[in-house]
Amino acid sequence: MTARPAATGRAGWWFVAPALALLAVFFVLPVLAGLALSVTDFDLYAVADPGATRLVGLRNYARLFADPAFRTAVRNTLYFAAVGGPLTVAASLGAALLVNARLVRWKAFWRTVFFTPFVTTLVAVAIVWRYLYHPRYGLVNYALGAVGVPPVDWLGDPRWAMPAIILLAVWKNFGYNMLIFVAGLQAIPAELYEAAALDGAAPWQRFRHVTLPGLAPTTLFVVVVTMIGYFQLFAEPFAMTQGGPLESTTSVVLLLYAEGFRFWRMGNAAAIAFVLFALVVTLALLQRVVQRSARQRSAA
């Protein structure tokens, strides 16, 4: 009788052993290798002769925080996440409410239309959006000119390059979150809306007191996933601006790529990766604390 639980436990470990082995090989070991790399001066010369690698301790991290290019990259990344994240979540929720409304016809068609940008290749998207942003022939400036706004050099002006990247990212990514919000909306019991309507609640009151509380877990998931993804901004500025003009769209991951694969300073690149990891974890935990306290205040 006492041997059966132990035998069951051993069998369970044997079942999960392949998955644990894969995690150890493809996740834990690379992370530990990256951490070890971040305290060395591993560079192009060390690729040919690993014995030339020297242990530099925390010097890579100290140099990183003293580097103006890194501070600019952090500032650009925070700007992108702080503006683009809420815009993407708001656009996703708005689109989900529209395609889930009772009066809307061809719901599957509209969901497909809104989801299409997410699965479209970014290179093709970047080519189209570069034409849209063209200062002389782009449709964006043409539309602004129709209402008297002078043309804007969207990708050549440091003041407008990041807003242009944010607009592209919102358009490309909101469809994915929209599907998650649609699933969350369909999980809210219809009886709650019927009871609120019988009590005389207006549409805005039903949205505020039924829809938003019902979507709270979904919103938390969407916000956390979106913000983590936006802190890893890379493909949009890489394809559209290469980090320019004047480093106004250089993100932390784009700087990491340049350090690691253009200048072959792998130690610096690994240090950037771990600073970004610490930043993402800190902000994700802070976000959870703020949302939990907000829920407790609303419940009280």
Side-chain angles (χ1 to χ4, degrees), residues 30-48 50 53-54 56-57 59-61 63-64 253 255-275:
V31 169
L32 294 177
L35 184 60
L37 201 63
S38 71
V39 294
T40 68
D41 64 347
F42 193 92
D43 56 11
L44 183 60
Y45 301 104
V47 174
T53 305
R54 293 173 298 182
V56 297
R59 213 175 304 164
N60 286 337
Y61 293 92
R63 190 184 302 122
L64 205 58
V253 179
L255 181 66
L256 184 157
Y257 169 80
E259 286 289 320
F261 299 102
R262 279 188 193 157
F263 308 121
W264 286 94
R265 295 192 283 253
M266 291 294 184
N268 285 349
I272 293 174
F274 277 93
V275 171

Side-chain angles (χ1 to χ4, degrees), residues 60-87:
N60 286 337
Y61 293 92
R63 190 184 302 122
L64 205 58
F65 288 113
D67 186 1
F70 177 71
R71 292 198 294 269
T72 301
V74 171
R75 188 167 58 247
N76 291 338
T77 303
L78 291 175
Y79 174 25
F80 177 81
V83 177
L87 281 178

Side-chain angles (χ1 to χ4, degrees), residues 209-260:
H209 298 290
V210 177
T211 304
L212 285 183
L215 282 179
T218 307
T219 305
L220 175 63
F221 172 78
V222 168
V223 169
V224 171
V225 169
T226 300
M227 297 304 284
I228 290 175
Y230 276 16
F231 273 108
Q232 301 174 55
L233 171 68
F234 173 74
E236 288 85 354
F238 181 78
M240 296 286 286
T241 62
Q242 290 285 312
L246 299 177
E247 298 182 342
S248 60
T249 59
T250 299
S251 65
V252 174
V253 179
L254 197 57
L255 181 66
L256 184 157
Y257 169 80
E259 286 289 320

Side-chain angles (χ1 to χ4, degrees), residues 88-89 91-93 95-96 111-119 169-183 218 221-222 225-226 230:
T88 303
V89 174
S92 307
L93 178 58
R111 288 172 193 165
T112 304
V113 168
F114 290 146
F115 188 69
T116 299
F118 182 74
V119 294
V170 171
W171 173 83
K172 190 172 188 321
N173 296 315
F174 83 96
Y176 175 76
N177 291 338
M178 177 202 70
L179 291 184
I180 299 175
F181 274 127
V182 167
T218 307
F221 172 78
V222 168
V225 169
T226 300
Y230 276 16

